[in-house]
Amino acid sequence: MSKFYITTPLYYVNSSPHIGHAYTNIIGDCVARFKRLKNEEVFFLTGTDEHGEKIKLTADECNEDTLYFIDRVVNSFKELWNKLNISYDFFIRTTQDFHIRVVQEVIRYLFEQEDIYKSNYQGFYCIPCESLWTEAQLDNGLCPECKRKVEEIVEENYFFRLSKYQDWLKRYLKDNPNFIKPKIRYNEVLGFLENNDLDDLCVSRPKKRVSWGIDFPIDDNFVVYVWFDALINYISGIGFNQDKDKFNKWWPADIHLIGKDILRQHAIFWPIMLKALNLQPPAMIFAHGWWKVGEEKMSKSRGNIVNPEELIKTIGADGLRYFLLREIPLGMDGNFSWLAIKNRFNSDLANDLGNLVYRTLSMVEKYFECFISGNFEKIPDSFKECLDNLQKNYVPLMESLDFSSVLEEIWQLVNTMNKFIEDTKPWLLWKENKVEDLKWFLFSLLEGIRIMSIYIYPFMPQTSIEIMNQLGRDDKEITLKKAIWQKGSFKITKGKPLFSRIDAD
Ligand code: MSP
């Protein structure tokens, strides 16, 4: 059995999750479920990033004890992941003891190896981004990433020798063109490394300025820089320095899934940290795009967030998962609008998919008292080509995370089956007493629906299971091996329509 290790970023806990956070975890879940469908052994890691001044300040503003505040926000993340059926294997919190210990061990090790050293620092600090910048990097005196105000800082600090490894990283990227995806992000990182000299990374913060962090193990006056702390979760979460066998089993990660906003930290800091620790880099870093409202990235600080809980109430977890994965090709930005959601939901889910299942099962109920068996092995010509294409393309498209294309192909099958019903006119077969033809027609539709329900599993797990159950089959049949035409029987239980149209504006 091959193994597959996928991670998501650790979310800051200064506020409850929004659609942007949900997007990353839904993508991660879709990949993890696809791999399980292929019978691979999966470890799916997600969690929360709980240090840094921003979080402490937010807790103070709410007049709450910092840890109490954090626990509350962490629960809201966990609740949302439950509602969205995110099948993570472990939820890591950077305030957990084992993680703190590993971070401190890493710092000590790198200090002894002289990859971390003490020096003077003069620069500009952006609290929301938790990033330090030189004067030259500022954009008209503002943070080059978020364009907000920065604070000037002069102090002693500890530094990690990024510069020492710049040439290695450049070479590594050239030798591994699939290390960062999509290509546009790979080019961005390589271009940056070719045109700039990396500054060493400041990995400590003086306690007099930042109090909420992991104690710097070799100097009591400092805490660890929150990014240096958080990135280490990808190894501490699978047993680094705690459980050798577990760690060796899962590392290196197959995919670090991130948003494009945190590419620099993952594609430059992290591979260099791993190199200094003598560990292999992850196989791939995939940076997806942003959900925007108008022209602006959705984020709490811009005050334009969409609450996923509200949407789930209207379109369900699967409706939201489907929309986010179908609407834009992975890697691109997307515009979030209620109209787009409503159109997709009503047309793709309520009309195409929902109707197909409902009317097919209604006919099986009406004409064959809920039971049909088929000895036929031949796929009807009218949807053979469509199904063949899907069977050929599904795995390669899923492996390249081209989710919107996969869904498009699945919907071609759905619509071909709908057309098959309209063209065949089953009610005429019934009238003319062509029972065998009618039985063959319905059996083929049930088989087509069964196979389709396996393919939609990574995207809409609840719907997939619901369809399988309505077909009278066990959830265990949801595996890629069974996504082929089979003889057999169906003892169906017709349920309510899978999706009811939304009319509200
Ligand atoms: N804590 C750091 C990550 C540390 S990983 C070792 C962080 N947290 S975050 O909460 O600000 O954002 C995490 C991720 O949420 C982003 O990388 C991205 O994956 C996702 N998104 C946040 N807003 C988003 C959108 N508006 N659109 C799409 N994804 C977005 O950065």
Side-chain angles (χ1 to χ4, degrees):
M1 207 192 222
S2 52
K3 68 98 207 168
F4 187 83
Y5 174 32
I6 181 165
T7 67
T8 73
L10 297 192
Y11 302 99
Y12 285 131
V13 287
N14 54 320
S15 66
S16 309
H18 60 70
I19 290 289
H21 306 124
Y23 185 47
T24 317
N25 269 34
I26 288 173
I27 298 167
D29 189 64
C30 183
V31 180
R33 285 179 188 271
F34 161 66
K35 293 288 175 175
R36 293 192 199 107
L37 206 60
K38 275 180 75 194
N39 211 20
E40 291 184 25
E41 197 185 356
V42 174
F43 197 90
F44 176 14
L45 182 70
T46 191
T48 38
D49 188 351
E50 305 186 4
H51 291 123
E53 217 39 21
K54 184 168 54 174
I55 289 163
K56 165 105 180 40
L57 289 175
T58 320
D60 291 350
E61 277 163 24
C62 297
N63 270 327
E64 280 181 26
D65 167 69
T66 313
L67 255 183
Y68 175 83
F69 169 81
I70 293 176
D71 282 349
R72 208 160 52 75
V73 181
V74 167
N75 279 339
S76 68
F77 273 91
K78 285 187 171 168
E79 270 167 31
L80 180 62
W81 301 156
N82 276 343
K83 286 189 184 150
L84 284 169
N85 294 305
I86 305 298
S87 59
Y88 58 82
D89 293 287
F90 187 58
F91 189 105
I92 185 168
R93 300 182 53 176
T94 55
T95 49
Q96 281 171 314
D97 288 345
F98 73 87
H99 173 77
I100 293 175
R101 209 167 42 240
V102 173
V103 170
Q104 291 176 328
E105 282 160 2
V106 165
I107 299 258
R108 218 176 269 123
Y109 177 88
L110 295 176
F111 183 73
E112 277 158 21
Q113 190 174 276
E114 295 180 9
D115 273 333
I116 286 182
Y117 61 93
K118 195 172 188 184
S119 180
N120 276 318
Y121 182 80
Q122 193 268 327
F124 297 84
Y125 192 59
C126 172
I127 295 187
C129 291
E130 306 277 7
S131 289
L132 281 166
W133 305 103
T134 60
E135 188 158 15
Q137 287 172 320
L138 296 183
D139 183 353
N140 284 324
L142 300 174
C143 168
E145 253 168 29
C146 71
K147 320 284 180 227
R148 278 176 281 207
K149 259 186 16 212
V150 288
E151 251 180 70
E152 186 169 8
I153 282 163
V154 185
E155 61 197 19
E156 276 206 303
N157 261 314
Y158 287 85
F159 291 82
F160 172 56
R161 290 188 201 281
L162 279 190
S163 55
K164 174 176 153 191
Y165 296 96
Q166 174 159 5
D167 287 339
W168 165 79
L169 184 58
K170 237 189 300 183
R171 228 174 312 117
Y172 187 83
L173 280 182
K174 286 188 177 152
D175 293 344
N176 295 278
N178 291 326
F179 180 52
I180 303 170
K181 291 238 171 147
K183 199 79 197 156
I184 179 180
R185 304 293 161 225
Y186 171 85
N187 292 339
E188 200 177 301
V189 175
L190 189 59
F192 180 83
L193 289 172
E194 281 181 330
N195 297 316
N196 298 277
D197 288 329
L198 285 182
D199 290 320
D200 288 346
L201 179 67
C202 179
V203 292
S204 64
R205 297 290 182 265
K207 278 187 183 160
K208 60 178 170 7
R209 187 161 60 75
V210 177
S211 57
W212 188 249
I214 296 181
D215 283 339
F216 208 77
I218 44 182
D219 192 330
D220 272 352
N221 298 313
F222 295 89
V223 295
V224 178
Y225 170 42
V226 62
W227 266 105
F228 202 83
D229 149 7
L231 286 164
I232 290 172
N233 92 87
Y234 299 133
I235 53 175
S236 72
I238 46 159
F240 181 68
N241 273 8
Q242 309 143 75
D243 181 341
K244 226 185 188 144
D245 289 345
K246 184 174 176 191
F247 180 70
N248 289 338
K249 173 173 175 184
W250 295 108
W251 193 257
D254 294 274
I255 301 184
H256 284 324
L257 189 62
I258 59 167
K260 65 178 185 179
D261 44 337
I262 51 175
L263 185 62
R264 188 171 55 101
Q265 292 86 344
H266 283 82
I268 297 180
F269 303 173
W270 181 229
I272 292 182
M273 286 163 70
L274 289 165
K275 175 73 182 160
L277 289 169
N278 231 339
L279 296 173
Q280 277 190 59
M284 189 209 287
I285 296 164
F286 192 102
H288 65 70
W290 286 340
W291 281 102
K292 295 180 164 181
V293 178
E295 279 312 298
E296 296 234 296
K297 180 188 177 208
M298 191 189 293
S299 71
K300 190 201 170 205
S301 52
R302 291 180 180 88
N304 60 0
I305 56 170
V306 176
N307 179 350
E309 309 258 351
E310 289 302 314
L311 272 173
I312 294 173
K313 277 187 208 147
T314 322
I315 58 171
D318 280 359
L320 180 56
R321 292 171 66 113
Y322 177 80
F323 174 76
L324 294 178
L325 297 172
R326 172 68 183 85
E327 192 67 6
I328 49 164
L330 209 61
M332 317 247 299
D333 291 346
N335 231 307
F336 201 85
S337 84
W338 173 240
L339 189 64
I341 293 180
K342 193 175 134 180
N343 287 344
R344 278 252 170 251
F345 185 86
N346 284 347
S347 105
D348 299 8
L349 298 182
N351 282 0
D352 300 346
L353 177 62
N355 274 345
L356 171 68
V357 174
Y358 193 75
R359 59 182 171 162
T360 302
L361 296 197
S362 301
M363 289 187 278
V364 178
E365 188 178 63
K366 179 167 168 201
Y367 301 136
F368 292 95
E369 290 171 357
C370 297
F371 182 82
I372 281 200
S373 71
N375 286 319
F376 312 93
E377 285 173 33
K378 206 167 66 68
I379 306 171
D381 290 342
S382 54
F383 58 93
K384 181 172 186 335
E385 194 187 323
C386 210
L387 192 60
D388 285 349
N389 276 340
L390 187 54
Q391 283 169 335
K392 191 166 76 237
N393 298 338
Y394 186 76
V395 170
L397 285 174
M398 289 298 284
E399 294 285 3
S400 57
L401 310 191
D402 191 352
F403 297 148
S404 54
S405 301
V406 177
L407 287 170
E408 219 174 295
E409 290 215 6
I410 298 176
W411 254 253
Q412 270 168 26
L413 176 66
V414 168
N415 288 327
T416 305
M417 289 195 275
N418 275 326
K419 186 161 181 308
F420 184 45
I421 300 178
E422 276 130 42
D423 293 349
T424 311
K425 303 192 176 46
W427 51 96
L428 292 184
L429 295 178
W430 180 249
K431 239 188 193 162
E432 293 160 13
N433 210 12
K434 294 183 173 160
V435 177
E436 278 309 305
D437 288 352
L438 185 59
K439 188 167 154 193
W440 165 228
F441 160 80
L442 285 175
F443 178 79
S444 357
L445 281 175
L446 292 174
E447 264 302 276
I449 291 173
R450 183 187 63 79
I451 295 173
M452 181 273 306
S453 79
I454 297 174
Y455 286 137
I456 62 168
Y457 175 75
F459 304 94
M460 299 194 283
Q462 269 174 337
T463 306
S464 162
I465 293 170
E466 171 64 22
I467 295 174
M468 211 40 117
N469 291 340
Q470 290 196 15
L471 294 178
R473 298 294 183 82
D474 198 288
D475 310 355
K476 292 201 189 72
E477 288 198 33
I478 304 178
T479 154
L480 215 49
K481 277 200 302 249
K482 298 232 169 194
I484 47 165
W485 205 258
Q486 291 181 326
K487 318 186 226 185
S489 59
F490 294 93
K491 172 97 191 73
I492 64 118
T493 319
K494 193 183 76 174
K496 290 199 309 271
L498 296 168
F499 306 95
S500 11
R501 286 180 64 87
I502 30 178
D503 296 318
D505 288 325

